[in-house]
Amino acid sequence: MNYVKYHLLALLVTLLVAGSFISSEKLSGVVNPFSLTLLRFVIAAFTLLPFVLFKAQYRKGIIRALPRSLIMSVFFSVFFICMFEALKTTTPLNTGTLYTLVPFLTAIFSIFAFKEKITKKRLVVYLIGSAGTSWIIFGGDIEALLAFSLNGGDALFIGGCISMVCYSISMKFLYRGDEIIVIVFCTLFCGALWMLLALLVFNQPLQWHLLKSDLWFHMGYLALFATLASTFIIQKTTVVLGPSKVMAYIYLNPICVAFLMLFIEGKSIPSIVFPGMIISLIATIVLQFQNRNNANK
């Protein structure tokens, strides 16, 4: 099996997720998070629906996959809700920093779920990776790093990060040889059901009319690329590579954000952050080799 292809796909999804932080910031506070998450799931699911209905094999697989997708979609939905809600009271700077906890938390959860081991060397690499991403996010400003403090939004986003870890673990744990396209559709469909239920329980309005033309562009990106495409890729790569390998690429997230800001908004990358980029890149590569060696044992 060509594992290189799946590592490249994991890199691609890292880039797509990085773009979602930019778009989510634009949408946060305009519409309530339940409604935003519902809309992105609905758009993504309806886009995929014709492809699923086209083949009888896929249609039959929906019934088998729905019960497990109900579980996976809960974790998936909670992450997006926490991100939208957290960005009302915190900053992309803080959320970007906290998101680098996901690889370490995934490794911890994998110990219990898949009996994976975490060595002292691997733990050190996780800490180094977090240091590298922090360097990027804070622009090498030690005073800014020391001034970093958690607020209510940060605490909420930590809960979202834990939910993302559970989503990754559940994908590997609940996979039963299903067609990936079926699992993705069922996850999106069930996620939409959960969000619809949340809207009813918390008596929240849709508010979709508040989205103007430029905001629809960001919603389109979130639905088709950061949700549909990334979910499909994450499902495929996690089944093949395992959650630890896929989540290790998160250390490259700030690098991807920096380059996206460069190409999209013309914001230059300060030279002071290049050491952090190099550290994050090295940590990601080391983790991938460590994960491969552990898998071969």
Side-chain angles (χ1 to χ4, degrees):
M1 185 178 292
N2 186 6
Y3 284 94
V4 174
K5 177 180 70 174
Y6 294 102
H7 281 284
L8 292 175
L9 286 173
L11 283 170
L12 174 59
V13 80
T14 302
L15 184 64
L16 294 176
V17 170
S20 73
F21 279 95
I22 298 173
S23 291
S24 295
E25 183 189 10
K26 304 291 186 183
L27 291 164
S28 179
V30 178
V31 178
N32 72 78
F34 298 117
S35 185
L36 283 173
T37 307
L38 171 63
L39 181 58
R40 71 189 292 177
F41 283 166
V42 167
I43 294 174
F46 269 93
T47 302
L48 196 58
L49 182 60
F51 300 96
V52 176
L53 295 180
F54 183 73
K55 293 185 65 173
Q57 179 183 352
Y58 294 163
R59 295 196 299 271
K60 293 178 181 178
I62 291 176
I63 303 299
R64 295 194 307 269
L66 273 177
R68 286 171 283 125
S69 297
L70 276 170
I71 299 174
M72 291 187 290
S73 61
V74 169
F75 301 125
F76 196 47
S77 303
V78 168
F79 171 76
F80 291 124
I81 291 172
C82 289
M83 181 168 64
F84 282 128
E85 191 66 24
L87 285 170
K88 291 181 180 179
T89 55
T90 189
T91 65
L93 181 73
N94 286 26
T95 54
T97 303
L98 294 171
Y99 194 58
T100 60
L101 292 171
V102 172
F104 173 68
L105 292 174
T106 302
I108 296 297
F109 277 55
S110 294
I111 294 175
F112 301 99
F114 309 116
K115 308 301 180 183
E116 292 185 6
K117 297 180 179 180
I118 178 170
T119 63
K120 291 182 179 179
K121 291 182 179 179
R122 196 171 167 194
L123 178 60
V124 170
V125 177
Y126 280 125
L127 295 175
I128 292 174
S130 295
T133 54
S134 296
W135 183 291
I136 298 169
I137 292 167
F138 290 100
D141 189 342
I142 302 300
E143 292 184 1
L145 176 61
L146 295 176
F148 177 75
S149 61
L150 294 177
N151 56 40
D154 296 326
L156 182 62
F157 189 71
I158 289 176
C161 290
I162 294 174
S163 186
M164 176 55 74
V165 173
C166 293
Y167 170 60
S168 178
I169 295 294
S170 66
M171 279 191 295
K172 180 75 174 180
F173 192 77
L174 296 175
Y175 182 69
R176 299 292 185 272
D178 310 272
E179 295 286 349
I180 297 298
I181 188 173
V182 175
I183 284 289
V184 171
F185 173 76
C186 290
T187 300
L188 295 171
F189 176 75
C190 291
L193 291 180
W194 286 121
M195 290 305 95
L196 184 59
L197 179 62
L199 282 172
L200 295 174
V201 170
F202 293 99
N203 194 27
Q204 295 289 321
L206 282 178
Q207 299 179 318
W208 292 350
H209 65 282
L210 297 177
L211 296 177
K212 306 303 179 183
S213 57
D214 58 326
L215 294 180
W216 275 106
F217 169 81
H218 290 287
M219 177 52 69
Y221 174 82
L222 289 179
L224 300 179
F225 294 94
T227 301
L228 179 56
S230 66
T231 303
F232 189 91
I233 297 171
I234 289 174
Q235 291 275 3
K236 187 67 174 179
T237 54
T238 300
V239 168
V240 176
L241 300 177
S244 294
K245 287 184 179 181
V246 175
M247 290 301 168
Y249 283 107
I250 284 177
Y251 288 124
L252 300 181
N253 188 269
I255 300 176
C256 294
V257 172
F259 279 100
L260 284 174
M261 295 295 286
L262 173 64
F263 290 114
I264 296 174
E265 299 185 357
K267 294 184 178 180
S268 61
I269 304 175
S271 58
I272 188 66
V273 306
F274 284 119
M277 290 183 173
I278 295 173
I279 292 172
S280 298
L281 180 60
I282 292 174
T284 303
I285 294 173
V286 172
L287 280 173
Q288 294 300 334
F289 276 104
Q290 286 187 349
N291 285 327
R292 186 183 68 176
N293 293 335
N294 291 336
N296 292 333
K297 290 181 179 179

